[in-house]
Amino acid sequence: MTDFLWRLPSRGDGRRADPALRGRGGFGPPNPVVETTDPRPGRFGPFDDLAQIVDAAELTGFDGVLAPYDPLGEESWIVAAAALRATRYTRVTVEFQPAFGTPVYAAKVSATLQRHSAGRLNWRLAVDTDAAEARARGDRLTGDERYDRAAEFLTVARGVWNENEVGAAGFAGTGFDYAGRYYDVVDGGFRGILSGLPFPAVHLSGTTPAALALSAAHGDVHLFAEHEDGITGAVTELGERAAASGRHVRVGLELPIIARETEDEAWARVHRQWAELDRPDNVADHTLGEGRWSGFHAFGYDQRIGLVGSYAQVAQHLSDYAAAGVQTFVLSGHPAIEEIHRAGEHLLFLADPTARTLAQEVTA
């Protein structure tokens, strides 16, 4: 089955092309007061916008949401916990960097979240973060050392986790010992209410040899960003590395989208947004063909390349990716509330009709 996730905004949201001018969530400038503005204080808090997006994901049929790691935005663990509390079926992926805490602590936090959400939490490790940002939070590791630490992090986290129930025994562990370069554990392991829970599915990303090796050994899903030349080469390399380790890793793809009833409407949206920005280039300079457009970074997206077109066109491109082996999509759009409703109501059933439409009885 193909999974569709929606990337939650982490630093405010809104209709403006410039992310700094998006006032929803309290990060940008305050919205102008108009005739319909409710003047009463405290009626709409900064988390209410995120709550509506999470609700929309569940109501419109998305399989999950991603709470991204953003050092200047909302804390992803808090957002993920709130999303799990507010939903019944949606899987929530929390993105965090391995220096967040010890792997035992991250596992314990996750065990509690799994208990309270019936096992709907996923992990995504942000390994390759900005060097200056890493130093600002006291993390001195650089280069491939970050992937070595991430490998130990996941080894220890899985080591202390017990998916089968283990009876409580005071402070005693379950005999997990580990002596590594970055972590040491003696008699670790969860018992009692922290045992008998599913370990979070691990999402990873990156195209360097170190990133692909980490996923091949430890990942459940590897998320790629689209490239001008496509992702076929990197996907093939990942598959070969995983097969050599006797494992299979699902292939995922992160894509911003602008989809409307017609192709002209979708491109009109792009041009309106572009007109807000004072840039020397133009929309056509970033057209790659087949609905792919590489100007999304100008609108504040983390991925440069995404899809623009009618619902039918974008759905066909997503189906083509799925036929080529992509099993998980992380979609995004601004403003998120409006765009997730559009995608859920008009796009998903076209992109994945087998899983998202009811079978029709054929009569003579």
Side-chain angles (χ1 to χ4, degrees):
M1 177 180 172
T2 304
D3 289 336
F4 288 88
L5 283 64
W6 189 266
R7 183 186 183 95
L8 299 176
S10 59
R11 206 182 305 176
D13 196 17
R15 296 181 178 276
R16 302 298 298 275
D18 183 350
L21 299 178
R22 297 173 186 160
R24 298 181 189 176
F27 279 81
N31 291 320
V33 176
V34 297
E35 289 80 1
T36 57
T37 299
D38 188 341
R40 296 170 295 178
R43 298 290 171 173
F44 194 82
F47 247 67
D48 290 331
D49 179 64
L50 275 173
Q52 289 188 37
I53 301 167
V54 171
D55 287 345
E58 179 137 295
L59 290 171
T60 59
F62 274 84
D63 299 291
V65 294
L66 166 66
Y69 170 71
D70 183 350
L72 300 178
E74 302 285 9
E75 172 52 49
S76 57
W77 283 97
I78 305 302
V79 173
L84 288 169
R85 179 66 180 86
T87 55
R88 297 181 62 188
Y89 309 107
T90 302
R91 296 195 64 84
V92 178
T93 301
V94 57
E95 184 180 28
F96 62 98
Q97 39 80 23
F100 151 81
T102 71
V104 178
Y105 178 64
K108 185 176 185 296
V109 170
S110 299
T112 296
L113 291 175
Q114 293 293 55
R115 285 189 67 226
H116 289 275
S117 68
R120 291 185 287 118
L121 178 71
N122 296 334
W123 279 4
R124 179 175 179 180
L125 265 61
V127 181
D128 189 8
T129 57
D130 179 78
E133 180 270 319
R135 289 194 298 271
R137 54 178 163 77
D139 186 0
R140 300 294 179 177
L141 290 189
T142 59
D144 289 351
E145 286 185 311
R146 296 169 300 176
Y147 289 93
D148 296 337
R149 177 180 61 189
E152 286 196 14
F153 185 98
L154 291 169
T155 298
V156 171
R158 289 187 187 273
V160 298
W161 195 283
N162 288 303
E163 294 196 330
N164 296 319
E165 290 189 24
V166 181
F171 290 102
T174 57
F176 175 75
D177 297 322
Y178 185 84
R181 180 179 177 185
Y182 304 100
Y183 305 105
D184 289 283
V185 178
V186 177
D187 190 26
F190 297 157
R191 290 175 173 271
I193 61 174
L194 298 180
S195 65
L197 301 162
F199 190 79
V202 175
H203 295 220
L204 297 166
S205 59
T207 55
T208 65
L212 295 176
L214 178 66
S215 263
H218 296 278
D220 298 305
V221 180
H222 190 94
L223 294 168
F224 292 94
E226 180 60 295
H227 188 270
E228 286 88 345
D229 299 325
I231 61 173
T232 302
V235 169
T236 300
E237 182 179 351
L238 173 64
E240 292 172 349
R241 287 177 177 270
S245 301
R247 303 184 70 250
H248 171 74
V249 181
R250 286 173 64 97
V251 174
L253 185 62
E254 294 192 83
L255 286 169
I257 59 169
I258 296 178
R260 296 293 187 271
E261 287 290 343
T262 68
E263 182 181 10
D264 287 344
E265 287 181 65
W267 283 110
R269 168 66 173 169
V270 174
H271 283 281
R272 285 195 301 271
Q273 292 266 283
W274 198 265
E276 293 185 29
L277 305 173
D278 184 17
R279 293 179 59 96
D281 50 351
N282 56 57
V283 170
D285 293 336
H286 300 277
T287 301
L288 301 176
E290 297 183 344
R292 298 192 309 159
W293 187 64
S294 63
F296 279 96
H297 62 291
F299 300 151
Y301 293 87
D302 285 353
Q303 294 75 35
R304 290 192 312 109
I305 300 176
L307 298 175
V308 179
S310 68
Y311 295 123
Q313 290 171 328
V314 173
Q316 184 58 57
H317 294 314
L318 293 175
S319 297
D320 292 342
Y321 282 123
V326 176
Q327 297 171 289
T328 299
F329 292 96
V330 180
L331 305 180
S332 56
H334 294 292
I337 293 176
E338 292 87 336
E339 295 300 321
I340 193 173
H341 275 289
R342 287 189 175 101
E345 295 169 13
H346 301 290
L347 183 64
L348 293 192
F349 77 96
L350 293 174
D352 189 20
T354 302
R356 297 172 195 278
T357 57
L358 296 175
Q360 299 296 313
E361 182 179 355
V362 178
T363 59

